[in-house]
Amino acid sequence: MLAATYQAKDAHIVIVGGQSGIGKALIPKLLEANARVFSLDISEPSTEFEDQNFSYHRCRPTDLEEMQAIAEEISRSSPKLTGLVCLSGTIKHFKPMLEQSPEEWQEVFDISFKSCYNACKVFASGLQAAEKGSIVNMSSGLALLGQKNYGPYSNAKAAIISLSKSLAAELAPGIRVNSIAPGAVNTDFLRDKEGNTRVDLEMYQKLIPLGAIARPEEIADLIMFLLSESSSHITGQCIHINGGAMMV
């Protein structure tokens, strides 16, 4: 089997939503490749990654002013960014759209889309300063599939595909922008606050030609590829990673 290895000594990567399951799988891969990693999220700081090349910045990604302040702070130590990864998303209000209040709908949409929009807006200049870089935005297979109870999340993730294509055209040729659309991934995202799964995982797994739900490390590997020069001619694409559950 062919094994991919990366050397990222001069890479400076910002991860928005780095405390997620996929973020926690991605960060050690980047650190192992000697990248400088800036993780942004709303949760309390974690001591999980104690590395001189890692720093955590607590903020609300949905707040443009807070994001701008963090971007300015990061630019003082790393004026030239080489990568941005946007992972934020939530299905906090898991019920039919007609039963959601406008405030509930907006909350899910903002966390799942506006966080990405804000990050691209405030960090694009740092990527442009480096003259070459990559943005990877997290969409979802649900952006293309109609599923009950996922309304505002699906809407937001569909918007991310469109946003990424627009940015790919606007930031070319120096900056590549792609989105990825996973199917089910074995993280806490699949479970509600009581720990119950939101879908029948056994039944779902039977529908996957490759026979397994994705591990967060597999999604992280795709992100590593898209951040690297190995994907130098890929931009404006939405790449599906779902074990064949949906073939687009």
Side-chain angles (χ1 to χ4, degrees), residues 164-185:
S164 300
K165 291 179 178 181
S166 297
L167 288 173
E170 294 176 0
L171 298 179
I175 312 302
R176 296 180 295 105
V177 187
N178 295 286
S179 59
I180 64 174
V185 183

Side-chain angles (χ1 to χ4, degrees), residues 6-26:
Y6 298 98
Q7 177 50 250
K9 183 177 180 181
D10 297 320
H12 293 234
I13 312 293
V14 172
I15 304 175
V16 180
Q19 294 292 89
S20 69
I22 294 171
K24 289 181 177 180
L26 176 62

Side-chain angles (χ1 to χ4, degrees), residues 56-118:
Y56 181 76
H57 304 263
R58 190 180 185 191
C59 64
R60 291 175 297 170
T62 55
D63 188 302
L64 183 60
E65 290 186 0
E66 285 190 24
M67 289 289 279
Q68 185 63 58
I70 295 296
E72 291 172 1
E73 179 184 342
I74 289 175
S75 70
R76 287 192 282 271
S77 61
S78 294
K80 296 182 179 182
L81 297 176
T82 54
L84 169 65
V85 181
C86 300
L87 301 174
S88 297
T90 183
I91 44 176
K92 180 177 180 181
H93 305 296
F94 191 69
K95 55 186 176 182
M97 287 181 64
L98 296 182
E99 296 178 12
Q100 294 184 31
S101 69
E103 293 76 18
E104 288 174 330
W105 187 95
Q106 194 67 54
E107 181 182 18
V108 172
F109 189 87
D110 284 354
I111 293 171
S112 303
F113 173 77
K114 191 176 179 182
S115 297
C116 177
Y117 166 81
N118 286 347

